[in-house]
Amino acid sequence: MMNISNLGEELLLMIFNKLNTAIDVVRVRSVCSSWRSLLPPPSSSITRLLYSTKRYGQSFLFPCKIYRIQPSSSNKGWIIKLFQLPNSSIFYLSDLFTNTRIPTQNNKLFNFINFRVFELFQLHALSRLYFSFQTVCYFEKVILFSVEGRCKIFALRTHGSLEVSNIGENTNTILTGDDGNIMNFHDIILFMEQLYVVDSGGTIFWINPLSLKIVQFYPRLFCGYETEHMPEKLKNLVEYDGSLYVVYLYIDNERYSTEVSTINKFCVDVYKMDEERGKWLVVKDLGDALFVLGKDSNFSLLAKDYYGCQGNCIYFYWRNRVCCFSLESLKAKLVDSIFWPCPTLFHHMTS
Amino acid sequence: MAAEKSSIKIITLIAADGSVFEVEPNIVKEMKTVQSYIDELDQNTVSIPLPNVFGNDLAMIIEYCKKHASEEETKEAKEEFDFEFVKRMKSDDKLRLLQAASYLNMESFLQFMAKAIAAEIENQSVEFVRDYFQIESDFTPEEEAELRKENEWAFK
């Protein structure tokens, strides 16, 4: 009979070829010397693409990755965001909400050989500098999207317009409506391999990636368009469990006059499309899920997978603080460093 | 020749433990090892011994082939089946089925099993992968040092 522990090179390579991430390749190479010689190390070259606009000049598109790191003996982990510096094996640990470097981990190492490392997703952010990461403040979000073999960059500016350019070209197109006027958006998301944007009125549009025409995708969501004390544009798109959610973050008129501290004035409404009826549903309970309105992307997590995270909550950033709004208590509170990994995981560099 | 082959009604597969399976010719099309054996014979009934495949595994493979050979089943139904099929397998079932698929020379089932095994070791620790494949670490101290570097993120 066959021996399970000896699959043979051909079958092993067949399995290894199905691995999707670089971190999985590193892991397989760490099993034994024959496996190590069977599989080459993942390529570590980081490509930074030049992105230039007439108005803001040159910047560089940096890839970054979000991981969950989890001790192999535990069923919970921490979420971390990493930028790798070009032409080196040096990493930045950066803040999920601001992209600023987390300084406490400087000159330290994290060895993940005894950890489970989940590569959750890859994002892109614009940097002022080529050799290190420095946020370009006039861009909210950047999404790379390939269409018919060409890669396009969709960059949402802080003031709301959406700039589209082909990689390697200097010209940009700014998205306009049918009337030729520039459209402003609050958020952009890649959902089910398509691009969607939401405007200030809560209408979700699908972007045709070829013609760059926008098409209304869902009926308009009437939510607090005229709120007096709106601080910012705060309609956010989040994907959770295969559905698209709209998270509307605002300062409540009633709370504005009664509450003293600003954090208590915040309200969050969550909506989800009922695909069958074509109607928006108000979501009162997210169960164990939490939504993170991060710097380069919004995403959902399950509280059971992470230390220090609370389910049924929306985490957002406001005036240099991380806030957590509970859909149960309907109140926001300030939270500290919940997405920062446990400092004891990091070791000083010895050499 | 073609007419003779199509006259075969039933194929008998005999697993390593002696259990016997009678299947229709379209079920074994995916098993190239079996198919080439049949092609060489011109008999109406064929009985093929498969000394490298256990009865339990062969039963599962035949179940998979039946579902995928069926023209009535929708793509979605087949995907749903695949999902449940993997779910009820234990880890060593997967490794055995991969080897059986390789022996029977079943290209698409082989890819399917490789994917299922890859999914099992994804995001796991190195120790888990060693246990899964029953492998012991055999690195030299030099390799160990190299390995540590590879499994590290250095923060500046």
Side-chain angles (χ1 to χ4, degrees), chain A residues 117-250:
Chain A
V117 181
F118 303 72
E119 186 180 315
L120 300 180
F121 31 81
Q122 178 164 345
L123 303 167
H124 289 89
L126 286 169
S127 167
R128 264 257 162 266
L129 306 171
Y130 182 75
F131 281 108
S132 74
F133 185 79
Q134 193 186 74
T135 305
V136 181
C137 56
Y138 6 88
F139 289 98
E140 283 280 300
K141 279 181 185 150
V142 185
I143 294 179
L144 254 64
F145 190 85
S146 281
V147 54
E148 293 192 343
R150 298 195 73 172
C151 194
K152 290 185 181 197
I153 303 171
F154 290 77
L156 183 65
R157 285 199 192 156
T158 313
H159 64 71
S161 64
L162 186 66
E163 237 170 50
V164 187
S165 55
N166 291 318
I167 276 183
E169 286 177 17
N170 267 339
T171 49
N172 313 101
T173 308
I174 294 180
L175 251 64
T176 55
D178 289 337
D179 55 6
N181 291 331
I182 291 174
M183 300 266 307
N184 282 314
F185 303 106
H186 280 197
D187 202 3
I188 181 167
I189 195 170
L190 192 59
F191 171 68
M192 302 282 183
E193 292 171 24
Q194 297 292 328
L195 287 164
Y196 299 91
V197 279
V198 61
D199 72 0
S200 61
T203 306
I204 293 180
F205 299 92
W206 170 68
I207 305 173
N208 180 327
L210 273 176
S211 67
L212 301 182
K213 290 249 179 298
I214 59 166
V215 181
Q216 184 170 347
F217 191 69
Y218 282 143
R220 182 171 160 173
L221 170 67
F222 289 95
C223 61
Y225 184 47
E226 299 294 337
T227 307
E228 252 174 83
H229 308 291
M230 271 306 295
E232 293 284 329
K233 46 181 183 185
L234 290 164
K235 291 196 177 66
N236 299 276
L237 299 172
V238 184
E239 178 181 0
Y240 168 56
D241 202 20
S243 295
L244 191 59
Y245 287 73
V246 177
V247 176
Y248 172 44
L249 193 61
Y250 61 102

Side-chain angles (χ1 to χ4, degrees), chain A residues 250-281:
Chain A
Y250 61 102
I251 287 186
D252 184 75
N253 273 336
E254 199 187 307
R255 290 186 188 186
Y256 186 79
S257 44
T258 54
E259 295 284 349
V260 182
S261 91
T262 320
I263 186 79
N264 291 336
K265 297 174 184 175
F266 269 105
C267 264
V268 177
D269 293 338
V270 179
Y271 301 88
K272 176 193 177 178
M273 175 50 66
D274 178 344
E275 296 281 355
E276 273 175 26
R277 294 192 203 142
K279 276 186 177 168
W280 288 104
L281 299 172

Side-chain angles (χ1 to χ4, degrees), chain B:
Chain B
M1 186 74 185
E4 278 171 39
K5 258 190 257 171
S6 64
S7 68
I8 297 174
K9 293 274 185 314
I10 289 292
I11 292 153
T12 306
L13 302 174
I14 305 159
D17 48 26
S19 46
V20 173
F21 298 84
E22 293 192 330
V23 292
E24 290 175 22
N26 70 324
I27 299 302
V28 298
K29 274 211 185 89
E30 159 88 340
M31 306 177 189
K32 295 215 180 65
T33 306
V34 175
Q35 192 59 48
S36 61
Y37 191 87
I38 296 167
D39 291 346
E40 281 168 22
L41 300 167
D42 19 304
Q43 290 168 248
N44 284 346
T45 54
V46 203
S47 168
I48 302 162
L50 299 170
N52 280 324
V53 188
F54 277 122
N56 287 346
D57 297 338
L58 191 55
M60 286 190 86
I61 294 170
I62 291 169
E63 186 191 344
Y64 179 90
C65 290
K66 274 186 183 161
K67 192 76 180 183
H68 281 262
S70 162
E71 280 165 18
E72 290 151 29
E73 300 282 354
T74 61
K75 197 170 159 269
E76 288 75 29
K78 285 179 186 175
E79 279 169 9
E80 167 103 30
F81 169 85
D82 287 356
F83 181 76
E84 293 297 326
F85 187 74
V86 171
K87 230 170 88 178
R88 67 185 149 106
M89 272 187 264
K90 289 199 211 77
S91 306
D92 49 344
D93 292 340
K94 288 180 196 167
L95 293 173
R96 269 199 335 273
L97 283 170
L98 179 82
Q99 287 172 308
S102 163
Y103 167 72
L104 293 170
N105 200 357
M106 304 170 71
E107 186 50 33
S108 71
F109 186 62
L110 194 56
Q111 295 297 335
F112 174 68
M113 288 315 302
K115 178 94 198 136
I117 293 165
E120 198 143 358
I121 59 172
E122 263 166 11
N123 308 326
Q124 296 290 354
S125 67
V126 173
E127 216 37 60
F128 177 95
V129 182
R130 285 193 189 127
D131 286 349
Y132 187 92
F133 287 92
Q134 301 172 19
I135 289 173
E136 303 233 338
S137 168
D138 59 350
F139 290 114
T140 61
E142 291 78 32
E143 282 175 320
E144 285 277 3
E146 229 180 84
L147 198 81
R148 205 164 40 242
K149 275 251 170 322
E150 222 174 281
N151 281 270
E152 247 167 27
W153 285 318
F155 299 106
K156 267 274 157 90

Side-chain angles (χ1 to χ4, degrees), chain A residues 322-341:
Chain A
V322 180
C323 310
C324 166
F325 184 89
S326 160
L327 289 180
E328 196 186 332
S329 68
L330 300 176
K331 277 189 179 148
K333 62 177 183 200
L334 294 170
V335 286
D336 275 318
S337 348
I338 63 141
F339 294 109
W340 290 19

Side-chain angles (χ1 to χ4, degrees), chain A residues 18 27 30-31 33 91 107, chain B residues 111 124 130 138 151 154-155:
Chain A
K18 305 280 183 199
R27 183 175 312 110
S30 309
V31 167
S33 34
F91 290 86
N107 294 316
Chain B
Q111 295 297 335
Q124 296 290 354
R130 285 193 189 127
D138 59 350
N151 281 270
F155 299 106

